[in-house]
Amino acid sequence: MGRTYIVEENVGQYLSNMNLQGKAFVSGLLIGQCSSQKDYVILATRTPPKEQQNENLQHSKAKLDNLDEEWATEHANQVSRMLPGGLLVLGVFIITTLEMENDFQNALHRLVFAVEKSVNKKRLWNFTEEEVSERVTLHICSSTKKILCRTYDIHDPKSSAKPADWKYQSGLLTSWLSLECTVHINIHIPLSTTSASYTLEKNTKNGLARWAKQIENSVYLINGQVKAEDCDLLEGQKKSRGNAQVTSHPFDVRVLTQLLLNSDHRSTAAVQICSGSVNLKGTVKCRAYIHSNKPKVKDAVQAVKRDILNTVADRCEILFEDLLLNEIPEKKDSENEFHILPHRVFVPIPGSTVMLCDYKFGDESAEEIRDHFIEMLDHRIQIEDLEIAEEINTACVSSSMNTEASLDNTDDEQPKQPIKTTVALKIQHNIGVIAAFAVVVIAAGISFHYFSD
């Protein structure tokens, strides 16, 4: 028996109304959440066409071999940044003309593996062995409206397609629990002399990978309590008719991160010669969503963890893309660089408590963010629905010879007020020798530090 996909009715309407506009096919992404028993699809979005494709694919004899996998995977990368914790790109769809009804399977196989590989490559976390490894492919004939749903095991590139059930359900968008978390970031990444030849982006990614282990090993409080992993998330909640009271208020999540290693993790001191450092400092707003059907604490915690890791990594990647696009050179010698990372903006899926997100630099307008949502997700949103979750400060790029300068007190061109909710990236060059000591802990206990509000 294959997997079952429970699909929001609006997704079916969206796919049925899609106009090929003379093209042989249209492809796109399916977005939702996996669970052990069934998967939930709450959104579908077509991949925006390339301008040059508009002329090349205007005839029905165009081959599915012309499907631009690189363009489709880049769209998947952009969309995956816009998904909060708990939501994933579950697979791909293709809508074809009747003449091409039998030519789609190879194209879908290539596309679903290419998308999954591209999205996974940039993550700071890995799927667990217990998690579902199947991804869905959906083919729809534009003339007959016939649907063929199949899955592939993404861990096995040679896996064959398995049949799956595709079932529409009304009200799926209202059946979600939300979790919110405010996380204070203070990450120090020493740049060793051996890594001096690496790009700033690569050095930062290596440092974030070490920080990610700290986040993975932290303790998570849900509404002020530590709960067993296999415990029902809704245990102890008052249930009203329709569970309205349960789902209306988000769960408050706080993160306790270890300050010291316990005595089972003994280590020796190490000294590292460094030519500089990268510092990430600020506050980020995190949100995650899980379906309300028998939710477990471990699933909720996992969704929050991944949102924390995703949003920090995505902001850094967006910053480096912006620096490259605007050809801003890296500072040399003993200068310091300061870059304000983009802020997070949320927007609700119509009719749902689930919110998608995007990232905004200080000089970007609300209209630009709205247009990016429309382009990437192919759904209309209103500017008044945009929720800027973090305080906006004037973006600045500055340098300083004073290696003791802080983000809250730099030079006259820096903001006078402390940056409280802006994530900033600070780069120091030539700061000499940094001794990184791994302390041997004798005490048996573990100390924790509040990492969130």
Side-chain angles (χ1 to χ4, degrees):
M1 178 115 181
R3 291 195 64 76
T4 297
Y5 288 84
I6 307 300
V7 188
E8 166 61 37
E9 276 189 342
N10 293 342
V11 172
Q13 196 68 35
Y14 172 79
L15 296 172
S16 297
N17 294 340
M18 193 169 295
N19 188 351
L20 295 184
Q21 297 177 336
K23 299 182 179 65
F25 63 88
V26 168
S27 66
L29 306 173
L30 300 169
I31 296 164
Q33 186 170 95
C34 295
S35 72
S36 58
Q37 296 180 343
K38 60 187 71 173
D39 295 347
Y40 303 95
V41 180
I42 62 172
L43 198 66
T45 175
R46 66 175 293 176
T47 299
K50 275 186 173 180
E51 292 183 2
Q52 58 265 36
Q53 286 181 338
N54 290 334
E55 296 182 1
N56 296 339
L57 301 181
Q58 283 296 327
H59 53 89
S60 61
K61 294 183 180 180
K63 299 292 183 182
L64 280 174
D65 291 338
N66 294 330
L67 178 65
D68 192 334
E69 291 179 25
E70 183 178 357
W71 182 255
T73 55
E74 178 56 33
H75 177 232
N77 289 335
Q78 294 285 330
V79 169
S80 65
R81 289 177 178 172
M82 307 173 82
L83 304 181
L87 297 187
L88 297 169
V89 175
L90 294 181
V92 297
F93 70 82
I94 287 184
I95 302 175
T96 68
T97 59
L98 182 62
E99 293 83 355
M100 302 186 69
E101 187 176 8
N102 298 319
D103 299 336
F104 63 87
Q105 203 56 54
N106 288 336
L108 278 173
H109 179 274
R110 294 195 314 271
L111 184 58
V112 74
F113 276 92
V115 165
E116 188 67 23
K117 181 180 179 180
S118 181
V119 171
N120 274 339
K121 185 169 58 176
K122 300 183 179 182
R123 287 178 177 146
L124 292 175
W125 50 270
N126 297 312
F127 289 104
T128 64
E129 293 182 358
E130 295 79 17
E131 289 185 84
V132 176
S133 61
E134 292 181 63
R135 293 295 178 265
V136 64
T137 62
L138 184 73
H139 172 253
I140 302 176
C141 176
S142 61
S143 302
T144 64
K145 303 300 180 183
K146 178 182 176 182
I147 291 178
L148 184 60
C149 182
R150 295 182 177 181
T151 62
Y152 290 93
D153 184 349
I154 55 169
H155 291 164
D156 181 10
K158 296 182 180 180
S159 64
S160 57
K162 298 179 182 178
D165 292 330
W166 185 263
K167 298 181 178 180
Y168 290 110
Q169 177 179 306
S170 62
L172 181 61
L173 285 175
T174 62
S175 305
W176 295 83
L177 305 174
S178 62
L179 303 104
E180 296 185 358
C181 182
T182 301
V183 181
H184 302 295
I185 303 296
N186 190 1
I187 307 170
H188 178 75
I189 305 171
L191 304 180
S192 67
T193 53
T194 57
S195 64
S197 60
Y198 296 165
T199 63
L200 178 61
E201 181 176 7
K202 183 174 181 179
N203 279 316
T204 303
K205 284 183 177 179
N206 291 340
L208 288 178
R210 294 189 292 270
W211 165 76
K213 295 179 181 179
Q214 187 183 33
I215 295 299
E216 290 283 358
N217 295 328
S218 296
V219 173
Y220 290 76
L221 304 182
I222 299 179
N223 288 344
Q225 297 180 329
V226 177
K227 296 186 176 183
E229 285 189 348
D230 293 326
C231 177
D232 189 334
L233 181 64
L234 298 176
E235 187 178 51
Q237 297 266 337
K238 292 183 179 180
K239 293 185 179 181
S240 59
R241 290 184 179 179
N243 288 342
Q245 183 175 344
V246 172
T247 59
S248 60
H249 301 291
F251 290 86
D252 175 62
V253 180
R254 300 193 179 199
V255 188
L256 304 178
T257 184
Q258 284 183 230
L259 287 177
L260 301 174
L261 298 173
N262 64 34
S263 56
D264 294 331
H265 295 82
R266 299 178 66 87
S267 181
T268 56
V271 177
Q272 189 176 42
I273 307 300
C274 296
S275 59
S277 67
V278 174
N279 293 282
L280 288 168
K281 189 174 183 181
T283 303
V284 295
K285 300 287 187 179
C286 301
R287 291 180 183 175
Y289 300 89
I290 60 172
H291 192 266
S292 59
N293 181 32
K294 299 179 181 179
K296 296 293 184 183
V297 169
K298 63 180 180 181
D299 298 324
V301 169
Q302 179 177 268
V304 172
K305 283 182 183 179
R306 292 177 177 178
D307 193 59
I308 295 171
L309 298 177
N310 287 345
T311 189
V312 173
D314 288 343
R315 292 172 206 241
C316 290
E317 186 177 39
I318 292 169
L319 172 66
F320 292 129
E321 290 174 357
D322 186 67
L323 295 178
L324 183 64
L325 183 64
N326 293 288
E327 297 182 345
I328 299 176
E330 294 183 12
K331 303 293 182 183
K332 303 299 180 183
D333 301 324
S334 59
E335 294 179 300
N336 292 350
E337 295 177 56
F338 295 90
H339 303 288
I340 304 301
L341 272 68
H343 300 76
R344 203 172 193 184
V345 180
F346 290 96
V347 66
I349 298 176
S352 175
T353 57
V354 177
M355 303 190 83
L356 305 174
C357 70
D358 203 355
Y359 295 94
K360 176 185 183 300
F361 284 105
D363 58 350
E364 289 184 285
S365 66
E367 288 77 10
E368 290 176 286
I369 300 301
R370 177 200 59 192
D371 293 344
H372 188 246
F373 268 111
I374 294 173
E375 181 184 14
M376 291 296 105
L377 300 175
D378 197 29
H379 288 272
R380 291 284 171 185
I381 67 167
Q382 304 299 321
I383 290 181
E384 53 267 25
D385 291 332
L386 293 176
E387 177 189 333
I388 300 175
E390 296 154 352
E391 178 184 329
I392 295 297
N393 288 279
T394 303
C396 57
V397 178
S398 67
S399 62
S400 171
M401 298 296 290
N402 177 15
T403 59
E404 300 299 323
S406 70
L407 291 178
D408 294 341
N409 182 20
T410 53
D411 56 34
D412 292 339
E413 295 180 2
Q414 290 291 311
K416 297 297 183 182
Q417 297 297 323
I419 299 174
K420 295 181 179 179
T421 58
T422 300
V423 183
L425 182 146
K426 175 183 176 183
I427 306 139
Q428 292 183 334
H429 298 279
N430 299 327
I431 61 174
V433 178
I434 297 178
F437 293 98
V439 181
V440 180
V441 179
I442 304 300
I446 301 175
S447 296
F448 292 94
H449 168 65
Y450 273 97
F451 207 60
S452 63
D453 281 345

